[in-house]
Amino acid sequence: MGTLFTMAWLLGFVLSSLVPTEANQQVFLPSNAAHGLLSRQKRKNFLLEELKQGNLERECREEQCDFEEAREVFENDEETWKFFRSYMVDINITANVCASAPCWNGGTCHNVLGDYNCTCKTGYGGRSCEIESDKCASNPCKNGGWCHNEATQYTCSCETGYSGQNCEFDSPDCTSHGQTCDHFCKLRHDAFTCYCAQGYELGEDQTSCVPEVPYPCGKQSVHLAIDDSDLILRAIIDDQRCQRGEYPWQVLLKHNDEIACGGVILNEDFVLTSAACVNPLHNFTAVLGEYNLDEDEGIEQSINVSRIHIHSRFSLVTFENDIALLELEKPILFNNYTSPICLPEADFAEFFLMTSEYGATSGWKMQQGRVEEPVLVGIPYVPYIKHANCQRVQPFPIVHRMFCAGFKEVEDSLCSLTRGSPLVTSYKGVWFLTGISLGADEYNCKNIPVYTKVSRYINWIKRIMRQTQSDR
């Protein structure tokens, strides 16, 4: 009886549940609601997600992943990029790949479909600018030397007194063994040997330098029978005009037929001057053999400048490294009135030439851009000034790549000479280049003129000449 009652009650309950009510009109939930009950919560941005091990399904199937999330799974860039490129194409999305900053060392990133390109800064290469191509970036040059990038390697320009690939060695010089050479000496096989400037060859005695060309460097065509006392008098008298051919290495630089600067002949293809005098965007003409600006004497040569090499660290503010090498369109023809100055070796210049009492300078007198004296002026006695004394009288810092030369009695004459004109020093009857007058305007010449110390740029000059010759 009890069993029958229980079964009847259960049957009635089931039948009553089939009757629709306001609260429940259907047995099954809608599909979207059912999916909501059965789905599991995605874990992107979920609490402590970054502490969990990377999972490709979670990171890139449930979610739209980025590069960093994909990398959590593959844990290396190569495999990640392989997946990520195809992934971005599959979902047809242009990703902001650059958001992950894939370009190193300051490179600029550019988004491509599922990929990136890097524009690298100078000195770096590789897909992500990860390869250092600037051989000088590690500062390999020692003892104050400065580095130059070549095609596949670097070279060091050493300060005076140092040598070697990285300027790591103290350079032996002739000072401790006595200077017996006419020009230069070097250590070879534990012994010093002599060698000569351009246009000379070593004599039979292995110490003298004998001219081997008609117009060797540093030789004057005009014979001057003047002793030292006469040089001082000539320097301070009003008429300082020199003789024709007395300074055959002197150059006049023009821009649009206007006088720009002075300069000096180094060889048949190159002229040296002040960097402040020239502008690589302008056209310049070098006039060789010029003497009287008011006369055409038939010995002048006008040659266009084909290329201007300004020192990379030249400053128009401090006038440091105020030096420029000018390459000419065609070779200079040497004669009695046009010939080169000798370029010294660095040690020879500083240990012997600049320890001399005086040098000589030349140029044309200019005042506020106008010619004051049309005939070439030569001042044969220009004493060297110690660095400390030079610094004390100048209104701007005098670095060790500059020097002063002159004295008060000729201050006005020296300050009015064309900028970029040479200071030269005689040694055993041959003249060598020691300085180039700064390209600062006349107001910077308050006391004693300042010159760029050419000895500190010998390697720079030779390197440019060597590169230019190899390009021809």
Side-chain angles (χ1 to χ4, degrees):
M1 182 70 178
T3 301
L4 291 174
F5 176 79
T6 300
M7 293 178 63
W9 181 85
L10 289 173
L11 181 59
F13 175 79
V14 171
L15 292 174
S16 66
S17 66
L18 297 176
V19 180
T21 64
E22 292 182 5
N24 185 14
Q25 297 181 355
Q26 59 185 24
V27 175
F28 302 103
L29 292 174
S31 62
N32 59 345
H35 289 169
L37 284 174
L38 295 175
S39 65
R40 64 184 178 88
Q41 184 174 349
K42 298 177 182 179
R43 286 179 284 182
K44 182 177 181 180
N45 300 323
F46 191 69
L47 182 63
L48 302 180
E49 180 193 12
E50 295 306 320
L51 298 181
K52 298 177 181 180
Q53 184 177 0
N55 180 281
L56 186 62
E57 180 182 358
R58 178 179 76 246
E59 305 289 5
C60 292
R61 304 306 182 197
E62 295 178 353
E63 308 164 2
Q64 181 180 314
C65 70
D66 60 20
F67 179 85
E68 288 302 320
E69 289 174 327
R71 197 186 186 288
E72 291 176 11
V73 178
F74 294 100
E75 298 185 348
N76 73 75
D77 288 344
E78 184 177 355
E79 291 298 322
T80 305
W81 280 118
K82 188 182 298 184
F83 161 77
F84 201 62
R85 292 188 194 100
S86 61
Y87 168 74
M88 297 311 296
V89 173
D90 288 344
I91 63 175
N92 196 26
I93 294 177
T94 302
N96 181 18
V97 182
C98 291
S100 61
C103 301
W104 297 8
N105 298 307
T108 302
C109 186
H110 310 281
N111 282 300
V112 185
L113 181 62
D115 203 349
Y116 71 96
N117 286 327
C118 289
T119 300
C120 304
K121 284 190 172 182
T122 302
Y124 296 94
R127 173 171 171 75
S128 299
C129 307
E130 74 280 12
I131 301 173
E132 182 182 295
S133 57
D134 182 1
K135 307 300 182 183
C136 293
S138 60
N139 298 318
C141 303
K142 311 300 182 185
N143 298 307
W146 58 98
C147 187
H148 313 280
N149 277 301
E150 306 290 352
T152 59
Q153 58 184 2
Y154 68 88
T155 59
C156 290
S157 295
C158 304
E159 289 280 13
T160 302
Y162 295 95
S163 63
Q165 182 179 351
N166 297 320
C167 307
E168 68 273 28
F169 302 122
D170 290 340
S171 295
D173 60 75
C174 303
T175 56
S176 59
H177 295 266
Q179 174 72 10
T180 59
C181 305
D182 273 3
H183 294 174
F184 319 130
C185 69
K186 59 186 173 184
L187 183 65
R188 177 177 292 174
H189 305 304
D190 298 325
F192 284 100
T193 59
C194 299
Y195 64 106
C196 305
Q198 64 177 8
Y200 297 84
E201 61 181 355
L202 203 59
E204 292 182 0
D205 58 5
Q206 298 300 300
T207 61
S208 60
C209 290
V210 182
E212 61 176 351
V213 295
Y215 300 101
C217 68
K219 281 293 187 179
Q220 297 165 310
S221 61
V222 175
H223 177 68
L224 302 174
I226 306 174
D227 60 29
D228 288 354
S229 60
D230 292 332
L231 290 178
I232 298 173
L233 288 174
R234 182 180 164 190
I236 61 177
I237 61 177
D238 291 336
D239 186 4
Q240 296 165 333
R241 290 179 294 180
C242 64
Q243 299 180 47
R244 184 182 287 109
E246 187 175 347
Y247 296 95
W249 42 79
Q250 178 70 51
V251 176
L252 180 68
L253 290 174
K254 287 187 173 182
H255 168 58
N256 293 336
D257 291 328
E258 296 292 330
I259 295 176
C261 288
V264 62
I265 302 171
L266 294 186
N267 61 27
E268 62 183 6
D269 297 312
F270 288 95
V271 165
L272 196 67
T273 187
S274 153
C277 289
V278 292
N279 185 322
L281 300 179
H282 295 164
N283 296 320
F284 288 89
T285 300
V287 184
L288 307 315
E290 183 64 271
Y291 176 68
N292 189 334
L293 300 177
D294 290 341
E295 297 180 8
D296 184 357
E297 299 160 302
I299 58 173
E300 301 89 346
Q301 300 177 56
S302 294
I303 303 177
N304 290 333
V305 174
S306 62
R307 191 174 178 186
I308 299 174
H309 304 268
I310 293 177
H311 196 280
S312 60
R313 292 188 291 175
F314 164 62
S315 170
L316 259 174
V317 177
T318 64
F319 288 93
E320 292 184 59
N321 307 300
D322 186 12
I323 194 166
L325 191 60
L326 310 184
E327 187 177 340
L328 303 181
E329 280 188 354
K330 62 180 182 179
I332 302 170
L333 299 178
F334 295 143
N335 53 49
N336 289 340
Y337 308 104
T338 302
S339 60
I341 192 66
C342 288
L343 190 66
E345 296 291 0
D347 290 349
F348 174 74
E350 298 203 15
F351 292 139
F352 295 100
L353 300 178
M354 299 188 69
T355 56
S356 300
E357 180 184 351
Y358 64 91
T361 190
S362 56
W364 286 269
K365 283 189 178 182
M366 306 282 292
Q367 287 290 345
Q368 297 180 347
R370 295 184 179 182
V371 177
E372 187 179 77
E373 170 57 64
V375 175
L376 183 66
V377 167
I379 303 178
Y381 184 84
V382 186
Y384 286 101
I385 305 299
K386 290 183 178 180
H387 186 271
N389 295 336
C390 176
Q391 179 66 81
R392 193 159 43 243
V393 299
Q394 296 300 338
F396 56 93
I398 304 299
V399 300
H400 285 279
R401 297 185 179 209
M402 303 175 182
F403 68 94
C404 291
F407 58 105
K408 193 166 183 61
E409 286 78 4
V410 294
E411 172 188 323
D412 292 340
S413 295
L414 288 170
C415 288
S416 64
L417 290 183
T418 42
R419 301 175 298 165
S421 288
L423 185 76
V424 297
T425 305
S426 179
Y427 187 85
K428 295 187 177 182
V430 176
W431 291 89
F432 294 86
L433 179 65
T434 49
I436 293 290
S437 62
L438 286 193
D441 60 36
E442 58 187 343
Y443 301 105
N444 281 332
C445 187
K446 301 296 183 182
N447 296 284
I448 299 172
V450 182
Y451 297 84
T452 296
K453 189 182 292 186
V454 172
S455 61
R456 299 300 178 95
Y457 301 92
I458 301 298
N459 289 336
W460 178 79
I461 293 169
K462 289 183 176 180
R463 178 172 56 84
I464 293 176
M465 288 181 173
R466 191 165 53 245
Q467 288 176 346
T468 302
Q469 291 173 349
S470 65
D471 292 341
R472 291 180 174 179

